[in-house]
Amino acid sequence: MATYDFDFVKNTALLRPLRKDTNTIVSLYQAKNYEDELIHLRKGEEKLVNYVYQIENIDLSLFPHGWAQATLGDRLNHLREMKLFPYKIMDLFYDIKHLGNAAVHSGGEFSQDQGQQGLAAWHDLLVFLVNTYSGGHLRYAKAAIEEEYINNQATWYAPRENKLKTNKGARTQAKIDKASSVWNGNTMTIIKWIAIAVLLILIGRYLLR
């Protein structure tokens, strides 16, 4: 049974909101209760994704039906569209979602490999949070992710910052466009009322002749 070092979770203030979830997930994996482990991973991921939205201060009004109605899939898809994170990191989010959904809906037995896959994904998502937001230099459990990080250290986090600024700029521009539209609409309404008032004055003067 593969094990992963989660000691960094209790030593990182950033991860305090996720400590209880992590302890539960690790305990279930060690107890070989892979179905419940995957179910708790799915629940923990919802909290993690919401936490990312909070950290990034993402505008929740962008969801057409409101944040409360947005599913985990909706929230993940929006993160992917914003291109804040490397593709391999987004893949980890979707791995946990798919494994968790299978555990919630199937009620069948799950293998150690599936439990290990979910645990490794959770580990590496937490590592990414620490390395991204706390300036950490933790190693990833998945060899493919660690290799890509090593080969692209100069740009692994930089694109995220650039995309974040771009998206913030786009949201700001959207607000400006909306305000401009409202202003233009109000201006046209005022002009119409002025025209009506002038017309009434002219009519009144004509009738008084």
Side-chain angles (χ1 to χ4, degrees):
M1 175 184 289
T3 58
Y4 304 102
D5 184 5
F6 283 93
D7 285 346
F8 68 93
V9 177
K10 63 184 178 183
N11 298 323
T12 306
L14 175 75
L15 300 181
R16 185 177 295 113
L18 302 170
R19 285 176 187 168
K20 184 176 180 181
D21 299 277
T22 300
N23 290 337
T24 300
I25 290 165
V26 172
S27 296
L28 289 169
Y29 174 75
Q30 291 174 340
K32 300 183 180 181
N33 188 347
Y34 304 123
E35 180 181 358
D36 283 348
E37 176 215 346
L38 296 176
I39 291 173
H40 277 80
L41 273 169
R42 173 67 167 69
K43 294 178 180 178
E45 183 179 46
E46 290 189 6
K47 186 181 295 185
L48 189 155
V49 170
N50 293 349
Y51 192 32
V52 168
Y53 270 81
Q54 178 184 346
I55 294 172
E56 290 285 357
N57 195 27
I58 297 173
D59 186 0
L60 304 185
S61 67
L62 296 174
F63 289 89
H65 302 293
W67 172 256
Q69 299 300 319
T71 65
L72 176 60
D74 293 332
R75 299 173 188 186
L76 288 178
N77 291 340
H78 186 61
L79 282 180
R80 181 176 59 187
E81 290 169 3
M82 293 183 74
K83 298 181 180 179
L84 295 179
F85 307 137
Y87 290 115
K88 286 189 180 298
I89 297 301
M90 287 306 307
D91 286 344
L92 297 178
F93 281 107
Y94 285 102
D95 285 347
I96 290 177
K97 175 180 176 291
H98 295 150
L99 287 168
N101 285 349
V104 169
H105 298 298
S106 72
E109 293 187 2
F110 290 84
S111 67
Q112 178 180 320
D113 287 343
Q114 289 171 306
Q116 181 179 328
Q117 180 184 356
L119 188 66
W122 181 257
H123 174 277
D124 284 355
L125 284 177
L126 298 185
V127 166
F128 182 79
L129 291 186
V130 173
N131 290 351
T132 302
Y133 302 112
S134 294
H137 299 282
L138 301 175
R139 297 194 58 168
Y140 293 92
K142 288 181 175 287
I145 295 180
E146 179 67 16
E147 181 180 358
E148 182 168 324
Y149 166 64
I150 291 174
N151 293 334
N152 300 279
Q153 290 189 47
T155 59
W156 183 255
Y157 302 115
R160 177 196 143 272
E161 294 294 336
N162 293 336
K163 291 295 181 182
L164 178 59
K165 292 177 183 178
T166 300
N167 279 280
K168 282 185 176 179
R171 293 198 297 272
T172 301
Q173 186 60 47
K175 292 179 180 178
I176 293 173
D177 292 343
K178 182 177 180 180
S180 177
S181 176
V182 172
W183 169 258
N184 291 336
N186 291 340
T187 301
M188 290 303 298
T189 300
I190 293 171
I191 292 173
K192 287 179 181 179
W193 279 111
I194 292 175
I196 292 172
V198 170
L199 181 61
L200 290 174
I201 291 173
L202 292 175
I203 293 173
R205 288 181 178 177
Y206 177 80
L207 294 176
L208 290 175
R209 287 180 179 180

